[in-house]
Amino acid sequence: MNGKRVLVTGGAGFIGSNLANHLAADNDVIALDDLYLGTPDNLDDDVEFVDASVLDDDLPTGVDVVFHLAALSSYKMHEEDPTQGARVNVEGFVNTVDQARQDGCDTVVYASTSSIYGDRTEPSPEDMAVEARTGYEASKLARERYAEYFHNHYGMTLAGMRFFSVYQGFGGNEEHKGEFANTIAQFAHQIAEGESPELFGDGSQTRDFTHVDDIVRGLELAADHELQGIYNLGTGESYDFNTMVAMINDVLGTDVEPVYVENPFDIYVHDTMADVSKMKADTGWEPQISFEEGVELVCEPYLD
Ligand SMILES: NC(=O)c1ccc[n+]([C@@H]2O[C@H](COP(=O)([O-])OP(=O)(O)OC[C@H]3O[C@@H](n4cnc5c(N)ncnc54)[C@H](O)[C@@H]3O)[C@@H](O)[C@H]2O)c1
């Protein structure tokens, strides 16, 4: 993408700031965020930061592409207040897309989630049945339905990206997420501090861990190709938490044992794995950062 005027909502957040900083090299980028969780410290100087909510009625105008990443981004935030979760994640989405439409912008790339696949040790394709078991998942599915409406009724193109466990580490732009950050970011930080990470159950749960640089490339390609519909962004490989902890110890040269605790959540996704063949076929995108390399990148800031 080159020479465009781009709006990134949730632009001070983890994925949004990585995307905004990347695109600002060749584009005019506005990062909009109400700082519910994100921080402008994540943004480079060449990104214009706007402190505003996706619920506002005077969002930035004259943009060519909207990347809508703003959200109450975790399950817990929605259980505390499902109405506010719907307001931000659903109404905020409709408000942003409709203002873009009225202003003449018809390309939108937005964040859905892979949690709606539930527990899967097999690769999950986009066309399989999905389910909302939490307010967060319901809000993301509602976005997908509204995207269908904006496409069918107004001819806009909207790409709904179902991300799989995105990480970068506290040395990157993930630190503001704290307890909501990816487990690998939290565990690497704890192990580097000599603290035992807490693993729910026996540590056999698996995730398709995806480095944020691969997500950023995927989001840019989604806009370049004006993708329409739903796309997975993951790696197609999964690792269990025990293996992840061993890999972190290996890179850090430590020997910190995890502690195993009873899983406190009644709703919990045990396993995830992406089928990324659709994204590969439609854009040529491939994940480039293996989990081994990703663990090294996350651990790097802790090595002398
Ligand atoms: N990180 C992951 O593994 C992952 C996985 C699946 C989906 N997602 C989705 O990707 C998107 C980005 O997630 P993230 O990991 O960067 O989380 P994040 O919480 O760092 O980013 C979300 C940003 O949205 C902002 N925000 C919240 N309410 C807002 C409002 N009313 N107006 C404007 N900004 C508001 C927050 O301040 C935050 O900076 C989210 O939609 C999330 O649901 C993330």
Side-chain angles (χ1 to χ4, degrees):
M1 180 177 303
N2 209 308
K4 301 260 194 232
R5 183 168 153 86
V6 177
L7 172 64
V8 181
T9 72
F14 165 41
I15 300 171
S17 62
N18 274 283
L19 177 69
N21 293 341
H22 168 76
L23 292 178
D26 299 312
N27 301 276
D28 186 8
V29 181
I30 305 161
L32 181 139
D33 202 297
D34 74 348
L35 306 184
Y36 169 84
L37 196 65
T39 164
D41 295 345
N42 283 335
L43 293 167
D44 292 346
D45 290 345
D46 50 358
V47 175
E48 181 190 344
F49 172 63
V50 174
D51 183 352
S53 169
V54 290
L55 292 160
D56 291 351
D57 56 16
D58 57 350
L59 297 177
T61 52
V63 302
D64 303 302
V65 182
V66 174
F67 291 94
H68 187 78
L69 299 173
L72 300 195
S73 59
S74 112
Y75 146 76
K76 243 170 127 180
M77 298 167 185
H78 290 255
E79 298 316 301
E80 279 156 14
D81 188 350
T83 307
Q84 182 61 9
R87 204 169 281 139
V88 175
N89 285 17
V90 186
E91 189 184 332
F93 175 73
V94 175
N95 184 49
T96 304
V97 175
D98 202 46
Q99 284 188 45
R101 177 186 72 77
Q102 291 186 41
D103 192 46
C105 167
D106 57 10
T107 308
V108 176
V109 179
Y110 67 96
S112 180
T113 182
S114 60
S115 329
I116 50 181
Y117 291 122
D119 279 334
R120 301 258 313 158
T121 50
E122 296 292 305
S124 303
E126 290 87 348
D127 58 2
M128 67 171 274
V130 291
E131 197 179 17
R133 294 160 310 146
T134 66
Y136 173 69
E137 291 167 14
S139 74
K140 294 301 186 148
L141 268 175
R143 280 184 178 192
E144 294 187 0
R145 286 300 190 208
Y146 271 101
E148 213 172 282
Y149 151 66
F150 281 109
H151 174 66
N152 289 334
H153 197 304
Y154 294 110
M156 298 176 76
T157 52
L158 304 99
M161 312 307 285
R162 293 180 180 164
F163 306 145
F164 283 73
S165 292
V166 189
Y167 70 94
Q168 184 177 35
F170 286 176
N173 290 0
E174 201 179 352
E175 193 167 3
H176 70 273
K177 290 190 77 175
E179 63 169 308
F180 303 115
N182 198 298
T183 45
I184 179 176
Q186 297 190 55
F187 291 177
H189 188 74
Q190 288 160 354
I191 290 172
E193 301 277 311
E195 288 166 24
S196 289
E198 272 189 1
L199 269 54
F200 297 156
D202 62 2
S204 65
Q205 59 270 66
T206 61
R207 292 285 176 275
D208 185 333
F209 293 103
T210 314
H211 193 275
V212 73
D213 288 357
D214 283 326
I215 297 288
V216 164
R217 266 188 319 103
L219 290 169
E220 185 178 8
L221 280 172
D224 285 345
H225 287 256
E226 297 194 6
L227 294 183
Q228 166 58 37
I230 303 301
Y231 286 83
N232 287 336
L233 280 180
T235 69
E237 286 181 11
S238 292
Y239 287 80
D240 69 61
F241 282 19
N242 286 319
T243 304
M244 168 175 56
V245 167
M247 289 167 78
I248 293 170
N249 270 314
D250 209 33
V251 175
L252 292 176
T254 49
D255 198 13
V256 178
E257 292 283 333
V259 289
Y260 296 95
V261 298
E262 200 181 317
N263 188 343
F265 297 109
D266 23 321
I267 304 272
Y268 184 76
V269 176
H270 196 274
D271 303 290
T272 69
M273 192 191 284
D275 176 336
V276 285
S277 49
K278 187 178 174 191
M279 187 66 189
K280 284 183 183 176
D282 288 3
T283 68
W285 174 89
E286 295 260 3
Q288 288 176 351
I289 301 184
S290 69
F291 193 54
E292 286 80 3
E293 194 189 337
V295 172
E296 285 171 15
L297 290 168
V298 170
C299 291
E300 207 170 67
Y302 304 108
L303 297 170
D304 287 326

